[in-house]
Amino acid sequence: MSSQPDQPASTHPQPIQAAEGRAPELTGQQRAALRTAAHHERQRAAQLAQVLEDIAANGLPDPAECSPWEEVRERMWARLKTGQNGVRAAS
């Protein structure tokens, strides 16, 4: 017997349950969310591939020509504080 008290019902969406022997059905909203996520992943993969191809073609940059991470961090904090973080409001 468990000594833990009953837990309140979760406010999180319940997992999709499939019928016996069938794949679960997705709602239109879930399909759209998956397509959006796939699109963003493809963009990230393409960007990474571009960086790797550039490194393969040109080698790594000279550390003396690079910005120290502390400077990059401070610039990013400044952009976040002023609201210029590159995130667009949904319209």
Side-chain angles (χ1 to χ4, degrees):
M1 188 163 123
S2 175
S3 62
Q4 295 180 352
D6 291 338
Q7 297 294 323
S10 175
T11 58
H12 298 290
Q14 296 300 313
I16 299 169
Q17 297 293 324
E20 187 68 30
R22 291 185 16 193
E25 293 292 323
L26 300 176
T27 65
Q29 186 177 13
Q30 290 169 325
R31 287 186 183 110
L34 285 172
R35 285 187 191 101
T36 300
H39 175 75
H40 289 293
E41 287 300 316
R42 277 190 217 95
Q43 286 180 325
R44 291 180 57 215
Q47 185 178 24
L48 176 59
Q50 186 177 10
V51 168
L52 295 175
E53 288 170 359
D54 183 63
I55 291 171
N58 303 312
L60 291 170
D62 181 13
E65 296 175 6
C66 297
S67 300
W69 72 269
E70 296 90 350
E71 289 178 15
V72 175
R73 179 193 63 206
E74 294 304 318
R75 284 196 305 261
M76 291 301 294
W77 276 119
R79 285 177 57 194
L80 288 170
K81 287 178 184 176
T82 61
Q84 300 174 352
N85 58 2
V87 176
R88 296 182 191 172
S91 49

